[in-house]
Amino acid sequence: MRKKIIILNGPNLNMLGKREPQIYGTQTLSDIENMCLKKAEKLNLAIDFRQSNSECELIEWIQKANENFAAIIINPAAFTHSSIAIRDALAGANLPIIEVHLSNIYQREEFRHHSFISPIASGIICGLGTNGYLLALEAIAEQL
Ligand code: DQA
């Protein structure tokens, strides 16, 4: 049976394509989902790709993740810089976690330089655009 990976996307990522394309590019979240589905198939993984603007919903998905999934890939979006609650949920998930950002958060405003998530992530990918999600899947496939 294929191992299942949950890919979580935080607030405003549903607006990709329209949202600040000079920073985030023109691909939509469903383009990214399709790329991930193809990549996962090649890696013999299954994925469940989700987005929420709600911190509460993301936390509930993370809390249940280890019932069905072997790893978490997460772009926490702005919650990266603000949410101790999401960090705590991830820390308790007992799964490998890869943090992904489309943009290079260290090249941007100072408030984006701090991530509450990075210290508990197995790995971090940022600044490589949508390819970051595919690289995260590759890394997970090797780790598992
Ligand atoms: C982001 C970077 C965050 O700082 C920002 O709040 C986002 C997207 C990225 O993918 O580059 O919403 O996580």
Side-chain angles (χ1 to χ4, degrees):
M1 233 184 53
R2 288 183 173 196
K3 292 213 164 127
K4 277 179 85 177
I5 313 301
I6 189 166
I7 305 181
L8 297 175
N9 292 280
N12 299 306
L13 292 171
N14 57 313
M15 299 305 289
L16 286 179
K18 293 187 195 137
R19 174 191 182 203
E20 300 183 275
Q22 70 286 5
I23 296 172
Y24 299 114
T26 52
Q27 283 176 303
T28 64
L29 197 62
S30 90
D31 293 333
I32 299 176
E33 179 173 9
N34 287 329
M35 287 165 55
C36 287
L37 281 166
K38 282 189 197 140
K39 182 62 143 186
E41 191 133 313
K42 283 194 192 136
L43 296 168
N44 202 28
L45 295 171
I47 60 162
D48 189 334
F49 192 97
R50 302 184 193 177
Q51 188 275 335
S52 180
N53 293 321
S54 150
E55 190 175 22
C56 169
E57 191 165 39
L58 289 164
I59 290 167
E60 284 171 359
W61 288 339
I62 295 164
Q63 287 176 352
K64 293 196 188 114
N66 75 1
E67 294 170 16
N68 293 305
F69 302 100
I72 300 174
I73 295 173
I74 183 165
N75 182 345
F79 290 144
T80 309
H81 319 296
S82 66
S83 180
I84 297 170
I86 288 183
R87 174 213 174 102
D88 285 351
L90 289 167
N94 219 8
L95 291 173
I97 290 151
I98 303 205
E99 176 184 352
V100 173
H101 300 283
L102 295 158
S103 63
N104 181 349
I105 55 176
Y106 300 100
Q107 255 173 12
R108 301 182 60 197
E109 302 95 326
E110 201 154 339
F111 65 85
R112 295 185 204 276
H113 297 183
H114 180 258
S115 165
F116 281 108
I117 311 304
S118 297
I120 54 89
S122 328
I124 306 145
I125 299 171
C126 81
L128 299 177
T130 54
N131 199 29
Y133 286 80
L134 307 184
L135 294 170
L137 279 169
E138 280 180 18
I140 290 289
E142 279 193 27
Q143 268 186 37
L144 292 179

